[in-house]
Amino acid sequence: LLFLLILATGSGGGETSAVIGVAIIQMPGIARIVRAATLEVTGRGYVEAAVARGDSTTYILGREILPNIAATVVADGGPRLTVSILAIASLTFLGVGVQPPTADWALMMTENRTGLTFQPWAVIAPALMLAVLTVGVNLLADAVARSLSQSTDAALLRR
């Protein structure tokens, strides 16, 4: 969050700098997950058989490696997307993210917090919607990862 605050303040704020900052923060973790999953898959027999057959690198990546790491990458993507959404919402709540008149739930919470004692739902409703979005993203990512894992397992059994 400190890096995002420094980046947003230095660049004048706005949603573009917030998104770029979150992407920069998420890149090393994504690269580690993809690399670890790829290294685990490349040691398997079907990849070694494809190399021994003389298949091209593009074919091996597209046909053997990517389908087998997709479930891992998607399962990791759900929590990362949730963290990214909450980081951008935090920046907006602090005043350096999305600026008015853009419609944003964190901006709605910021603008309505002065009337919290009179109308609490003006702050609670956007917060609940943000929570529903993050939980929904995680559930969807888990379902897609499970589906990809099952289809990959079925394809391996057919080989």
Side-chain angles (χ1 to χ4, degrees), residues 49-65:
V51 171
R53 281 192 313 258
D55 291 339
S56 69
T57 304
T58 306
Y59 177 83
I60 294 171
L61 283 173
R63 183 83 175 153
E64 306 293 345
I65 294 176

Side-chain angles (χ1 to χ4, degrees), residues 7-48:
L7 182 69
T9 304
S11 66
E15 59 193 77
T16 305
S17 64
V19 170
I20 289 171
V22 168
I24 289 170
I25 288 173
Q26 294 291 347
M27 267 190 232
I30 293 169
R32 272 183 289 214
I33 291 293
V34 170
R35 182 179 185 274
T38 302
L39 287 176
E40 194 261 324
V41 169
T42 55
R44 294 189 180 166
Y46 54 86
V47 175
E48 292 173 356

Side-chain angles (χ1 to χ4, degrees), residues 68-82:
N68 291 301
I69 69 168
T72 304
V73 172
V74 170
D76 179 62
R80 286 192 187 281
L81 185 57
T82 299

Side-chain angles (χ1 to χ4, degrees), residues 5 8 12-14 88-100 106-107 110 113:
L5 285 170
I88 292 173
S90 299
L91 286 175
T92 300
F93 186 76
L94 294 173
V96 292
V98 178
Q99 301 298 320
L107 193 58
T110 301
R113 70 180 173 192

